[in-house]
Amino acid sequence: MPDTVRAAMEACIAREAAIGCYETEVSLDDLLQGEVYQRLARAIGAPVEDVALFDSATRAWCAVVPKLRLGPADRVWVTPYEYAGNLISLFSLRDRTGCRIEVVPTLPGGDLDLEWMAAHIADDVALVSVTHIPSGCGIVNPVEEIGRILAPYRCFYAVDACQSIGQVPVDVSRIGCQLLTGAGRKFMRGPRGTGFAYVAPRLREALITDFHDLHVAHVDSPTSYRVTDPSARGLELAERTTAAVAGLNAALTLFESGNPFDHKDVFRALRDTVERTPGIDLIAPGEVQSGIVSFRHADIPADEIRRRLGERRINVWKIVGNHTPLYMAERGVETAVRASVHYYNTVEEIETFGRALREIVGAGSRS
């Protein structure tokens, strides 16, 4: 988390302690009701009225997708890279409405089969859900190309941008989606407890009859919205953490002033370093990769690799396969190590990581 993000949150909490929560909201009204939405809209190329804030990306997703009015005649497409939390909502939607869920096939290298999609798309496909970059591996799915395939049809197109926003360019006008969700944390480097959704007018119209089920606004709070609000904010919850929103706004300010998209050499160095390490099984489907690389070792548990790299002040993370069940778990990946880089990482740091990983692998398991 950048210093400016932490400072914005600390200042907000200090103000709440000094003058009260409601008074702090009023004093920050321009930021909370305008500035943060404008910055977020610019970050994803969306009209400001189509942007809503939530306390997580999963909450943003669940504010929209479960509200779709589908039926037994409708098909829903997902990819093998779908996040488990999204799948839970989709399975619940299937159980409630009788819609059918189909998995888009992949080519032998792991890329989505766009020719299959073009050949099988029809007006009975009501929803297509694509994860831009899955958390379990670094593939960058071709969301813009998929958008062009889907454009002539009536389906809603949903994109999970949790791992892509802040890492690679994301522009809803180029993607052509009606829903895009993401997190303020991760590559945006904002605080936990922040998420967002872009919800296009056509999709909002399909949800409008269900607005009364979403929440009952508390009219005494400046951050509550009435259920009659026609913008995407009508989907928001009544309560949110002011300090978190202030931190998100600070992160968006940094995002606007930087250019994190010119570091593909570091992306490439990370993958090459892992791939050249003896005994490592690289989990990297697809032709286009991001700054996320996952891997495993046949004899050394993922958590042990994470701990031993941590002893060298190198942070990686242990992931579990059932978080991306249609890809990871079905391929027998129960746990793996995930390493990721951001725009401030250097090729020299990747070399340091590579030496440490080779030492750990060469030493074998301690257990």
Side-chain angles (χ1 to χ4, degrees):
M1 180 181 291
D3 290 343
T4 53
V5 174
R6 188 187 70 243
M9 298 177 68
E10 289 174 345
C12 182
I13 293 171
R15 185 175 295 188
E16 287 182 341
I19 66 173
C21 295
Y22 287 163
E23 290 77 10
T24 298
E25 288 185 64
V26 171
S27 70
L28 297 177
D29 190 65
D30 288 344
L31 184 157
L32 297 173
Q33 305 298 341
E35 184 179 338
V36 67
Y37 290 96
Q38 293 159 5
R39 293 189 185 281
L40 182 55
R42 289 195 295 268
I44 61 175
V48 69
E49 63 270 17
D50 295 345
V51 172
L53 294 178
F54 297 90
D55 57 4
S56 71
T58 300
R59 185 91 71 178
W61 175 273
C62 290
V64 178
V65 172
K67 307 299 180 181
L68 289 171
R69 290 184 176 273
L70 304 186
D74 291 317
R75 289 189 290 159
V76 173
W77 282 0
V78 300
T79 78
Y81 304 110
E82 194 75 60
Y83 172 58
N86 295 353
L87 283 173
I88 291 171
S89 292
L90 289 169
F91 291 155
S92 177
L93 182 67
R94 178 196 60 189
D95 295 344
R96 179 173 59 83
T97 67
C99 67
R100 292 170 291 156
I101 296 179
E102 299 175 352
V103 181
V104 174
T106 58
L107 300 173
D111 286 309
L112 297 176
D113 191 338
L114 300 188
E115 291 186 3
W116 182 94
M117 296 182 77
H120 291 82
I121 184 64
D123 279 335
D124 63 342
V125 177
L127 174 67
V128 176
S129 176
V130 178
T131 300
H132 195 182
I133 299 176
S135 62
C137 58
I139 186 173
V140 181
N141 284 313
V143 291
E144 293 183 14
E145 290 89 335
I146 293 171
R148 289 192 287 270
I149 292 171
L150 303 179
Y153 297 88
R154 65 108 175 175
C155 65
F156 293 118
Y157 179 24
V159 173
D160 181 338
C162 258
Q163 302 288 348
S164 57
I165 182 71
Q167 182 181 185
V168 300
V170 174
D171 189 319
V172 297
S173 64
R174 293 178 59 87
I175 295 171
C177 57
Q178 289 74 50
L179 173 66
L180 184 136
T181 57
R185 60 187 184 95
K186 301 183 186 291
F187 289 90
M188 287 297 291
R189 297 195 298 156
R192 281 184 175 271
T194 57
F196 67 87
Y198 156 76
V199 191
R202 181 168 73 89
L203 179 53
R204 296 204 302 274
E205 290 173 4
L207 305 174
I208 196 73
T209 55
D210 284 337
F211 269 19
H212 67 279
D213 295 328
L214 298 181
H215 70 271
V216 177
H218 300 289
V219 296
D220 61 343
S221 172
T223 58
S224 298
Y225 303 103
R226 297 184 182 276
V227 294
T228 55
D229 188 343
S231 74
R233 293 201 211 183
L235 294 163
E236 292 180 341
L237 301 174
E239 295 289 341
R240 63 187 185 186
T241 303
T242 303
V245 177
L248 175 61
N249 186 68
L252 288 165
T253 303
L254 290 174
F255 175 81
E256 287 185 316
S257 64
N259 183 16
F261 306 133
D262 296 331
H263 298 267
K264 300 296 175 61
D265 56 332
V266 179
F267 291 5
R268 183 75 247 180
L270 176 62
R271 176 172 176 167
D272 289 347
T273 296
V274 174
E275 197 167 23
R276 290 197 300 263
T277 303
I280 288 294
D281 175 23
L282 181 67
I283 305 169
E287 289 294 322
V288 181
Q289 293 289 315
S290 66
I292 298 174
V293 168
S294 294
F295 60 92
R296 58 181 174 170
H297 191 277
D299 301 319
I300 308 176
D303 200 47
E304 183 174 342
I305 294 175
R306 181 196 65 79
R307 289 197 307 269
R308 290 164 67 177
L309 283 170
E311 292 169 359
R312 295 164 167 82
R313 301 186 69 236
I314 298 171
N315 294 334
V316 296
W317 197 243
K318 181 187 110 174
I319 60 173
V320 292
N322 60 18
H323 284 181
T324 317
L326 298 181
Y327 180 78
M328 292 287 204
E330 288 190 0
R331 285 159 178 78
V333 179
E334 295 183 2
T335 61
V337 178
R338 181 179 65 202
S340 61
V341 292
H342 207 352
Y343 74 90
Y344 48 74
N345 289 120
T346 65
V347 173
E348 290 74 23
E349 288 176 327
I350 303 302
E351 293 172 354
T352 300
F353 161 72
R355 287 193 296 270
L357 183 60
R358 289 191 293 273
E359 289 172 5
I360 291 169
V361 169
S365 176
R366 293 174 180 169
S367 57

